[in-house]
Amino acid sequence: SALVLARLTLSQEGIVKILTHERSSYVLINLSSALCGHNPGSSMNAAFAVGRLLEREDARSKLLSMKNFKNTMTALTKMLYNKEAGPRKNACFAFSCLANSKEGHDRLLGNVNSELILDQLVRLITDTDDETAWFAAVTLRSDCSQKEGVFRLRDHKSVYTVLKKLVRGGGVKLKHDLLTEVKMTLDILGRLPKLPAPIMTAINSFSVSARWESIIATTNNRVIYQLFQGCTCVYEGSKTSTTVKNLKPFTSYVFRIRATNSSDEGPYSGPALITTNEGVPGPPGEVHNEGKPQHNSIKISWTLPPNPNGTLTGYNIYCDGKRVGVVGTDKQSYTVKDLPHSTSIPIQVAAVTAAGEGEKSVPIKCSTLNLSDYPPKKPILSTSGGANEINVSWIDPPKQLGPIDHYELVMNGEVIYSGKEQDFRVSNLEPLTNYTFNVRVVTADKYVIESEPARKKAGSKDDEGIDSEEKEALIAERDAMEARLKAELARLKALEAALKEEEMIRRQEV
């Protein structure tokens, strides 16, 4: 029956008939049992049939799922140690078919007899029977079909040594087919070399190029290269160069390369350090309006850009979209001057590197002082002479925009006085004619702030445009200011006298 099953497995149709037979499981169990029989011929046929079934995925899955498959492995192991060449060859064939699939390979390496199997395969590869040696060599190469098998054979005490000796000659001349199998297995077991560090070149602010040396594959085991950026693999393929993108500007990266194939992972190369090119910087951090508002200037400050993307060379300051200033990296503040008063204007800051100017900061609205907030009081109008005269006086503004340079008195739209005095007598007026007066305060910065108008009729004792209460309040405010000035002068004189007295006492003591 084992012979019949062996012949059936020679064709795919025969294997299908076995698998679809109503007593398929019974047939496979008995096929496994035949491996342990005392009839060498029956065992050989059964081993061949098992090997053919293991080559087909659906048949392999069914065999591996059987409870007695461990017994099958044990029986095949014993056949390897059979004195006859036939059982040994067919056992090798069955094991090689098993090792060619991932599931079967794992089952073979995990078997309790795996070391015994490897030990005997190493012995059989030097067997005087050429076919037995060839089948053993094929089985060892099949064991290398997965990385785990490669590591296992490398760790074996004699596999690599024996194979190397056979290739060198060792007093035995191998047939071509056997020598080919041995060389292929040695190539697979050979360690991939450590590559030199990749050669890195910065392309721009966001990408670099990498190239590395190639390894010539000595078998069909294709070499795959893995390029690592830190601990992350950024390229995997057979080419010897690539471009790494989506990097950050002016940032240092470490790259390593290694070679891999289906049976090995080579060591990492040494590190290659590369820094991307400088890029334009991101916008500066927060921009603030510094200090108290001024009538013609605004001071701003800012923090460093969170993403400088290079070595900063300076900052550009923009007012309403126009560049108005440039400062170096030693400063993080700037005063925008010569601005119109009573205005609000957007200000931005942009950082600069060798790559150029970066993105501007978010605009902030800054305002200069509003001159309407610092008006002088209305002038005080009175008559002290004839019907053609009016006396005009005024006081300093309660809030001053800055040092006062001089005053201007305007009558009916024309300047009739310019000076530092705070009173003026207007003569040669038309009696019983209405006149309008304004006082202008001219600051040291040449800002002109004009009071509201006061009106009076020449020759009239009654004021127009200012009620008696307001007039009294203005006079009281003027008197109070004069009193404060006198008190301050007295204080300064007393302080001066005390200092002189103290100086005289000090000289007497000396």
Side-chain angles (χ1 to χ4, degrees):
S1 60
L3 177 60
V4 174
L5 290 174
R7 288 178 176 176
L8 279 173
T9 57
L10 289 173
S11 67
Q12 294 299 315
E13 292 83 2
I15 294 175
V16 171
K17 285 183 179 180
I18 295 173
L19 295 177
T20 56
H21 193 273
E22 59 182 5
R23 302 193 68 185
S24 174
S25 297
Y26 175 79
V27 171
L28 294 177
I29 290 172
N30 280 278
L31 179 63
S32 177
S33 300
L35 294 169
C36 306
H38 298 289
N39 186 338
S42 178
S43 298
M44 285 175 54
N45 290 325
F48 178 80
V50 167
R52 290 289 296 166
L53 289 169
L54 288 171
E55 287 181 318
R56 184 180 169 108
E57 184 177 355
D58 51 355
R60 180 172 61 250
S61 298
K62 195 163 187 176
L63 277 172
L64 294 179
S65 65
M66 292 170 53
K67 292 182 179 180
N68 71 331
F69 190 74
K70 287 184 179 180
N71 297 334
T72 302
M73 295 282 291
T74 301
L76 289 172
T77 304
K78 290 181 178 179
M79 288 181 67
L80 278 180
Y81 285 85
N82 196 289
K83 294 180 181 180
E84 300 294 330
R88 296 200 300 262
K89 285 187 288 187
N90 283 11
C92 287
F93 171 69
F95 279 132
S96 67
C97 295
L98 177 65
N100 279 328
S101 70
K102 181 67 170 68
E103 186 181 6
H105 190 277
D106 293 344
R107 190 71 67 90
L108 176 59
L109 292 186
N111 188 265
V112 294
N113 296 318
S114 60
E115 282 300 308
L116 291 175
I117 294 170
L118 287 178
D119 291 344
Q120 184 62 1
L121 287 174
V122 173
R123 295 188 191 98
L124 292 178
I125 205 170
T126 59
D127 197 278
T128 54
D129 181 76
D130 291 336
E131 286 191 356
T132 300
W134 183 82
F135 272 109
V138 169
T139 306
L140 283 175
R141 183 170 60 81
S142 298
D143 287 342
C144 297
S145 62
Q146 304 292 330
K147 286 185 180 180
E148 295 80 2
V150 174
F151 299 151
R152 186 71 171 274
L153 265 64
R154 281 178 183 160
D155 293 338
H156 191 271
K157 59 182 181 293
S158 58
V159 169
Y160 192 82
T161 303
V162 171
L163 293 178
K164 202 72 175 175
K165 185 176 180 180
L166 287 173
V167 169
R168 290 171 181 166
V172 179
K173 187 176 181 180
L174 303 181
K175 286 193 173 182
H176 176 74
D177 290 347
L178 176 57
L179 182 61
T180 299
E181 287 294 333
V182 171
K183 286 183 176 181
M184 289 174 65
T185 305
L186 275 175
D187 288 340
I188 296 172
L189 292 178
R191 300 302 303 263
L192 288 168
K194 178 179 179 179
L195 290 168
I199 300 172
M200 309 300 301
T201 305
I203 298 175
N204 52 42
S205 304
F206 305 98
S207 59
V208 298
S209 67
R211 56 188 177 89
W212 52 89
E213 292 186 7
S214 62
I215 295 176
I216 299 175
T218 54
T219 66
N220 293 327
N221 202 357
R222 190 167 66 117
V223 175
I224 298 296
Y225 302 98
Q226 293 178 331
L227 179 68
F228 286 82
Q229 174 193 317
C231 298
T232 303
C233 182
V234 294
Y235 171 78
E236 185 171 19
S238 58
K239 296 180 179 179
T240 56
S241 64
T242 190
T243 298
V244 184
K245 301 179 179 180
N246 301 320
L247 302 177
K248 294 181 180 180
F250 204 57
T251 302
S252 295
Y253 294 91
V254 175
F255 291 89
R256 289 179 172 85
I257 189 72
R258 74 171 179 181
T260 68
N261 56 30
S262 61
S263 59
D264 193 21
E265 293 179 348
Y268 291 99
S269 72
L273 181 67
I274 185 70
T275 301
T276 52
N277 293 342
E278 291 191 53
V280 295
E286 296 183 5
V287 180
H288 298 283
N289 189 353
E290 291 287 324
K292 294 181 179 180
Q294 302 296 317
H295 60 281
N296 67 345
S297 65
I298 295 172
K299 184 178 181 180
I300 60 168
S301 65
W302 57 89
T303 57
L304 291 170
N307 298 306
N309 298 336
T311 301
L312 297 179
T313 58
Y315 300 93
N316 294 334
I317 293 83
Y318 289 85
C319 241
D320 203 16
K322 297 179 180 179
R323 192 173 75 175
V324 296
V326 177
V327 297
T329 55
D330 57 328
K331 295 181 179 179
Q332 285 177 242
S333 65
Y334 185 79
T335 300
V336 183
K337 299 179 180 179
D338 300 325
L339 296 173
H341 64 79
S342 311
T343 188
S344 179
I345 192 165
I347 296 180
Q348 296 171 280
V349 180
V352 182
T353 64
E357 180 184 271
E359 181 183 350
K360 296 181 182 68
S361 62
V362 176
I364 61 167
K365 283 281 188 179
C366 300
S367 300
T368 54
L369 288 175
N370 192 340
L371 296 189
S372 62
D373 294 336
Y374 302 86
K377 294 289 187 178
K378 288 181 182 181
I380 302 170
L381 309 177
S382 64
T383 56
S384 60
N388 63 347
E389 292 182 348
I390 296 177
N391 291 327
V392 185
S393 62
W394 56 89
I395 62 175
D396 287 334
K399 291 172 60 179
Q400 294 187 16
L401 183 60
I404 297 175
D405 183 74
H406 66 277
Y407 304 94
E408 292 179 353
L409 179 61
V410 180
M411 183 182 75
N412 293 344
E414 293 184 5
V415 177
I416 60 173
Y417 167 77
S418 178
K420 296 184 180 294
E421 300 297 328
Q422 291 178 267
D423 56 68
F424 185 75
R425 176 177 290 181
V426 186
S427 305
N428 301 321
L429 301 176
E430 293 291 332
L432 303 178
T433 301
N434 288 321
Y435 291 91
T436 301
F437 296 91
N438 302 76
V439 173
R440 293 175 181 169
V441 175
V442 182
T443 69
D445 293 321
K446 306 306 178 185
Y447 281 96
V448 179
I449 312 167
E450 189 170 307
S451 71
E452 293 185 5
R455 297 176 180 85
K456 188 170 181 61
K457 183 183 291 185
S460 171
K461 293 183 179 181
D462 297 327
D463 295 329
E464 294 182 12
I466 180 169
D467 56 35
S468 59
E469 290 184 2
E470 185 176 357
K471 179 178 179 181
E472 290 176 0
L474 289 171
I475 293 172
E477 187 174 351
R478 182 185 63 185
D479 293 343
M481 185 177 294
E482 290 177 352
R484 287 196 297 272
L485 288 173
K486 289 179 180 179
E488 182 63 19
L489 286 172
R491 188 185 69 83
L492 291 174
K493 287 182 178 179
L495 179 61
E496 183 180 7
L499 290 173
K500 287 182 178 179
E501 184 178 354
E502 183 179 346
E503 178 66 18
M504 289 178 62
I505 293 172
R506 187 179 66 79
R507 287 180 178 177
Q508 290 175 0
E509 290 177 350
V510 172

